[in-house]
Structures are given as C-alpha cells and as structure tokens.
Amino acid sequence: PHGYEDMNFRIGFSHNLGNGFSLGTSVTNIIRTTGRSSSSPEATLGYRFSAGASSFGVSAGMGLSADPTVGTYYLANGIVDWKLADKWTWNVISARYRNSVAHEWFTPKIATGLSYQVDARQTTYVTVGYSWKDIGAGTNPDKINVGMGYRLGF
C-alpha cells in the first residue's frame, strides 16, 4: 500500500556563532506525485558539543508551510553522531518534533544515516528515516524517508 509520494529538495545555510551555537535557515521544496509543489522556509538556533568520538546536538526553530491548513509551525531536533573513522561518521539518530501553531498537524520523525567527509569543507551523506502524522485523528505512520545529500562549508 506504500508508494512513491513526493520528492524533497532542501537548500540551507548555517552560521557558526561560536561556543557550539549556530544559526540556520533552509527552504525545502516539495514536489508531489499529484504535480502540486510547495516550499517551506525554516529558521533554527542550535547547540552542538562533542564527547570523545560522539557528538550531540539540539536545535529549535520556526517554519512556514505553504499548506494553508498548516501555516506556521515550531520544531525541535536532537541528534547523536558517532565518529567511526577519520572520514566516516554514523549519524546514529536524528529525531524531530514538529507541530503547527494554530492547526492539528503533528509530524515527528526519526532517522539514521552515514556521512563521508571528502575534505575539510565537503561532506556527502545518506539517510533513512520514518515519520508519523497526526492531523486530528491520532498519530499514524506517514512515510519512509530515504535521502542523500552534499554539504559544503565556507
């Protein structure tokens, strides 16, 4: 009963503020199989710290959905990464809590992945995740997410 539902493209920028803090912004463009597309901008403030081979991060922010039944939403993210080798990192878990400010729209997500650091500025990654959705009738399974990407630091 599951099939390809949509494709997301995200572009984001993050600025290191120092002492583990960062400020980020991104825009996700969603292209659905129905042909309808939408964009959702987000802004976040994050904190990250390392302990040996592990690193931990949290962030919180606000976003705006192009879907008028959602509108403005708030989000919180948590991550745990484990450095496997010089260039390889297991993104052990990434967890998201996201909810609409004024409507029934609760969409938590968990994911895991693997990152390869090409050099000091470039990283490639793959992820797999699972999300749920509650639009007023209870929290139900929503999507299996598979992704790949490229990060460039400057």
Side-chain angles (χ1 to χ4, degrees):
H2 295 285
Y4 166 75
E5 188 173 313
D6 58 39
M7 188 176 341
N8 297 344
F9 297 94
R10 174 177 282 198
I11 186 164
F13 299 96
S14 180
H15 177 69
N16 184 348
L17 301 171
N19 296 320
F21 288 95
S22 64
L23 188 61
T25 185
S26 65
V27 175
T28 301
N29 189 33
I30 303 165
I31 302 168
R32 292 183 168 69
T33 55
T34 61
R36 192 183 88 199
S37 68
S38 62
S39 296
S40 297
E42 287 182 357
T44 58
L45 176 63
Y47 178 73
R48 188 176 184 111
F49 67 95
S50 296
S54 300
S55 63
F56 306 87
V58 293
S59 65
M62 298 290 290
L64 179 63
S65 174
D67 184 341
T69 63
V70 176
T72 305
Y73 59 87
Y74 57 95
L75 62 120
N77 297 297
I79 61 162
V80 176
D81 290 341
W82 184 284
K83 189 84 164 171
L84 299 173
D86 184 42
K87 294 186 175 275
W88 290 96
T89 300
W90 176 25
N91 311 114
V92 179
I93 189 166
S94 171
R96 175 192 73 198
Y97 175 91
R98 185 173 67 177
N99 202 354
S100 176
V101 171
H103 304 281
E104 289 284 338
W105 186 72
F106 170 61
T107 59
K109 177 182 174 180
I110 59 169
T112 189
L114 191 62
S115 297
Y116 177 75
Q117 186 175 9
V118 177
D119 59 31
R121 294 183 50 209
Q122 302 177 81
T123 303
T124 61
Y125 62 90
V126 294
T127 63
V128 63
Y130 193 77
S131 61
W132 295 263
K133 185 183 281 186
D134 181 357
I135 54 175
T139 305
N140 295 299
D142 186 37
K143 296 178 187 171
I144 295 172
N145 303 256
V146 177
M148 62 181 167
Y150 171 78
R151 287 187 196 101
L152 175 63
F154 50 94

